[in-house]
Amino acid sequence: MRLVIARCSVDYAGRLTAHLPSAPRLILVKADGSVSIHADDRAYKPLNWMSPPCTLKEGTGDEAGVWTVVNKAGEKLIITMEEILHDSSHELGVDPGLIKDGVEAHLQELLADRIETLGEGYTLIRREYPTAIGPVDILCRDAEGGTVAVEIKRRGEIDGVEQLTRYLELLNRDPHLAPVRGVFAAQEIKPQARVLATDRGIGCQVLDYDALRGIEDDKLRLF
């Protein structure tokens, strides 16, 4: 990962145009090729970014100090450096990925064992299917033979949908798996996460932990 702190301005040219005026900012260049520009607020959210695959070209000569980032759609992120305050690179190695708590890990195990919970005719390919950015909780096939990636959370929030979106981007580059659709599975799914998932074509599945464990509901029934 390369970390650059610089006074810079940023212009985006693509489906729309956007301009960030000159100010000190943090620029992250990650090993996956992504480039993101951050201010000293907004938590983890960048002001602007370019997702991989994309290429970064640093200008020379008259264009020295101008970075041009271009993605596969031809969209451009142009960063004009005025003053570089810090520039360092760090090798982080392979990340072990998010370690789930006990309930999430058990949900994954139970759902893999009862994959038909997702629908009739579903079959398991593998739990913890490896990708370059971490393992997908469950990879399976639906009744029509289509590939399905499942991300499991105890509580389903927007971050989980974003995580599954990144997995789907990678998996759909594999011709042996594509097309791959996603299912976001959790004991509880927040309304905002459901809206985002639906907008991205990702299905949502609420999991009943006790039912997966085979524990009967002890509520009184009239039958």
Side-chain angles (χ1 to χ4, degrees):
M1 177 185 290
R2 184 178 178 186
L3 308 175
V4 178
I5 299 174
R7 178 173 293 278
C8 62
S9 60
V10 183
D11 292 278
Y12 168 80
R15 290 166 291 182
L16 47 82
T17 58
H19 174 73
L20 295 173
S22 176
R25 297 190 175 93
L26 168 65
I27 303 166
L28 297 182
V29 183
K30 294 187 177 181
D32 64 2
S34 63
V35 178
S36 56
I37 296 114
H38 299 259
D40 200 10
D41 60 6
R42 296 168 58 93
Y44 61 89
K45 295 182 179 179
L47 296 166
N48 215 326
W49 69 94
M50 196 70 82
S51 300
C54 57
T55 58
L56 167 62
K57 179 180 179 182
E58 298 185 40
T60 58
D62 293 339
E63 296 294 318
V66 177
W67 290 13
T68 304
V69 187
V70 183
N71 68 10
K72 62 181 180 180
E75 298 169 315
K76 292 183 179 181
L77 197 62
I78 301 170
I79 308 168
T80 303
M81 306 288 190
E82 298 172 15
E83 180 184 8
I84 294 180
L85 306 173
H86 175 85
D87 188 348
S88 64
S89 296
H90 307 270
E91 178 57 56
L92 303 184
V94 178
D95 191 89
L98 180 67
I99 298 175
K100 296 180 177 294
D101 66 24
V103 173
E104 287 184 9
H106 199 203
L107 279 170
Q108 182 194 116
E109 180 182 347
L110 290 169
L111 185 58
D113 191 48
R114 298 164 176 80
I115 198 66
E116 68 279 357
T117 301
L118 297 176
E120 187 177 351
Y122 273 66
T123 56
L124 179 68
I125 296 176
R126 178 174 171 175
R127 288 175 54 197
E128 299 287 332
Y129 187 88
T131 77
I133 58 173
V136 178
D137 286 339
I138 289 178
L139 198 69
C140 57
R141 295 196 185 280
D142 60 23
E144 288 73 41
T147 311
V148 182
V150 185
E151 178 64 23
I152 299 171
K153 298 292 184 187
R154 185 166 57 87
R155 178 178 297 171
E157 302 193 51
I158 284 176
D159 286 355
V161 178
E162 296 283 7
Q163 184 179 357
L164 179 54
T165 299
R166 293 192 292 271
Y167 288 144
L168 290 171
E169 288 178 357
L170 280 178
L171 292 170
N172 273 300
R173 296 179 200 169
D174 186 338
H176 300 292
L177 297 175
V180 184
R181 63 182 180 88
V183 171
F184 189 49
Q187 288 180 278
E188 173 193 2
I189 299 177
K190 295 294 186 180
Q192 300 93 329
R194 186 180 291 275
V195 169
L196 181 61
T198 301
D199 182 67
R200 295 183 176 179
I202 294 171
C204 292
Q205 177 82 32
V206 175
L207 300 175
D208 186 326
Y209 187 36
D210 287 340
L212 285 172
R213 290 191 295 163
I215 298 176
E216 291 291 337
D217 189 346
D218 61 1
K219 293 185 178 65
L220 292 175
R221 297 178 180 179
L222 297 178
F223 57 89

